[in-house]
Amino acid sequence: MKIIPYGHQYIDKGDIKVVSDVLRSDWLTQGLKVKEFEKALSDYVGSKYAVAVSSGTAALHLACLAAGISKGDEVITSAITFVASANCVFYCGAKPLFADVDPVTANITPESISQRINFKTKALIPVHFGGFSCDMKAIKNLAIKNKLIIIEDACHALGASYEGLKVGSCKYSDMTVFSFHPVKSITTGEGGAITTNNKKYYEKLIMLRQHGITKNFTKLSNKKVAVNPWYHEMQILGFNYRITDFQCALGISQLKKLNKFIQKRRRIAGIYNKAFKNNIFFDLPTEKNHTKSSWHLYAIRIKDRYKPQKAIIFNKLRKRGIGVQVHYIPVYLQPYYQKLGYKKGLCLNAEDFYAREISLPLYPSITNEDIRYVKDELFEVFKEIDK
Ligand SMILES: *Cc1c(COP(=O)(O)O)cnc(C)c1O
């Protein structure tokens, strides 16, 4: 049976051509395409710098390291996110704390962040759930007051706007992290990036991406031997988080289509919004005035009375070929976190959101026929449940 997935990449002939061109060239990695992609990305979001890496998770890890997060520090992130938003804090030897979310947007709230801030807090990682920006002005104010670094997890939000600026401009943050996994706004297969306006962070990210090595003369500690052409220094412990040139060629080609992708996503969300308006079964995702979503997800919230039947509803949809998904199990309910002592009941809105959320198929290449099928079958399933 055909399955309509919740998300899917859009690859055209142009994408395939630019990738094969790189494959036929001398530089599969460490060539010119990486810089070209970084320039295109920073131009798009309106940041000074961009650093492309091997995944969104690698981007989160490096952003945390560049921010100086280390043992003894605490970092506050959202309970409703992919595990990587919190795992990156553990990678640095620090401790993630989870703040509760808004019951409608599933975005971390400034009030909940405030409750978690203490003398150990070093940074905040707000996540723009489903492509809807968090309340960044209020979050930035908290960060200024408490001297905290902000790393936006914008893995859902490439192409989204906040207060008329593209997410990633870093007007209200220190760094912003993106992912180019196939279900995200654009894809490079695997891939990610960090944008920033801060030169120090930028230079540190570049070094950390490549083993902590530098050849930049002004940075060398041992300038006398630098006359030797092979000379380079490893100054900090870094990683190989490089992205390849053929991935970046794909990224450049995809980025040119990003506005079209977002328009298509908006159109599909508009069709769903109209079809589901005032229905008695579930609540809809809603754009607030200050945000323009990239519509990474179309996350419905089933009404309270259906919560006990969520698994039945989910299974019925899957049986009909609708590849619904749930975003997310609150991170701290994962066994790894439970073993470390994070307790159920920590974020009640997040737990309620989890009990209600179902993501419907939404991606640029979905057909009108499939959209109609999803709409019709969804209502059918709820009617069956009510029988
Ligand atoms: C996809 C995603 C990540 C991780 O990105 P990868 O490229 O898969 O490593 C991190 N955070 C969020 C919110 C994501 O959706």
Side-chain angles (χ1 to χ4, degrees), residues 6 130-132 260-277 279 282-287 292-300 360-368 371-372 374-375 378:
Y6 85 90
F132 296 72
K260 240 190 236 159
F261 289 163
I262 301 294
Q263 272 170 26
K264 286 196 173 176
R265 286 179 177 276
R266 297 189 71 75
R267 194 188 128 256
I268 298 155
I271 295 172
Y272 281 152
N273 284 341
K274 210 169 143 196
F276 301 149
K277 202 176 162 192
N279 84 82
F282 53 84
D283 297 313
L284 308 183
T286 323
E287 253 174 349
K292 225 178 146 191
S293 179
S294 53
W295 288 102
H296 170 61
L297 297 176
Y298 195 89
I300 62 165
L360 302 184
L362 199 179
Y363 48 93
S365 60
I366 192 171
T367 63
N368 287 333
I371 298 168
R372 207 174 312 124
V374 171
K375 281 178 346 200
L378 188 60

Side-chain angles (χ1 to χ4, degrees), residues 152-367:
E152 295 175 72
D153 181 340
C155 288
H156 294 183
L158 179 60
S161 310
Y162 173 74
E163 299 279 2
L165 294 175
K166 284 275 170 0
V167 170
S169 77
C170 298
K171 172 151 187 208
Y172 302 100
S173 67
D174 297 278
M175 286 173 267
T176 302
V177 165
F178 294 104
S179 164
F180 311 124
H181 179 276
V183 298
K184 310 289 166 76
S185 301
I186 64 166
T187 191
T188 59
E190 298 284 355
I194 308 105
T195 61
T196 184
N197 297 321
N198 181 312
K199 194 172 179 204
K200 269 200 193 124
Y201 292 144
Y202 171 70
E203 287 176 346
K204 192 143 180 222
L205 290 166
I206 291 284
M207 271 178 84
L208 285 166
R209 173 176 68 182
Q210 184 154 245
H211 311 283
I213 289 174
T214 186
K215 279 191 131 183
N216 184 337
F217 182 77
T218 58
K219 296 267 177 295
L220 298 177
S221 53
N222 205 345
K223 290 202 171 56
K224 269 186 199 147
V225 284
V227 291
N228 294 317
W230 61 81
Y231 190 70
H232 62 267
E233 286 181 359
M234 182 201 134
Q235 297 179 338
I236 51 176
L237 188 62
F239 302 84
N240 179 355
Y241 279 166
R242 291 189 304 258
I243 186 169
T244 66
D245 275 57
F246 49 95
Q247 287 175 295
C248 287
L250 179 56
I252 295 161
S253 177
Q254 288 263 303
L255 205 49
K256 289 178 186 155
K257 293 187 277 275
L258 176 56
N259 285 338
K260 240 190 236 159
F261 289 163
I262 301 294
Q263 272 170 26
K264 286 196 173 176
R265 286 179 177 276
R266 297 189 71 75
R267 194 188 128 256
I268 298 155
I271 295 172
Y272 281 152
N273 284 341
K274 210 169 143 196
F276 301 149
K277 202 176 162 192
N278 298 326
N279 84 82
I280 57 168
F281 309 115
F282 53 84
D283 297 313
L284 308 183
T286 323
E287 253 174 349
K288 287 187 187 161
N289 301 332
H290 60 94
T291 63
K292 225 178 146 191
S293 179
S294 53
W295 288 102
H296 170 61
L297 297 176
Y298 195 89
I300 62 165
R301 287 162 288 130
I302 57 175
K303 298 273 190 194
D304 270 335
R305 63 180 178 283
Y306 295 111
K307 280 198 309 204
Q309 285 141 303
K310 174 163 163 168
I312 299 171
I313 295 166
F314 190 92
N315 280 328
K316 280 181 181 287
L317 289 165
R318 281 274 177 98
K319 278 214 181 91
R320 288 163 194 242
I322 301 172
V324 284
Q325 195 51 274
V326 167
H327 297 96
Y328 292 95
I329 301 169
V331 176
Y332 62 83
L333 294 181
Q334 295 291 351
Y336 180 83
Y337 284 82
Q338 288 285 294
K339 270 186 213 146
L340 288 171
Y342 292 82
K343 294 275 183 296
K344 195 164 188 295
L346 190 63
C347 301
L348 292 176
N349 288 348
E351 290 180 23
D352 187 65
F353 188 84
Y354 167 51
R356 296 176 60 188
E357 198 271 350
I358 297 176
S359 299
L360 302 184
L362 199 179
Y363 48 93
S365 60
I366 192 171
T367 63

Side-chain angles (χ1 to χ4, degrees), residues 119-131:
F119 70 97
K120 286 184 182 170
T121 314
K122 171 97 177 182
L124 309 174
I125 306 182
V127 181
H128 306 308
F129 180 83

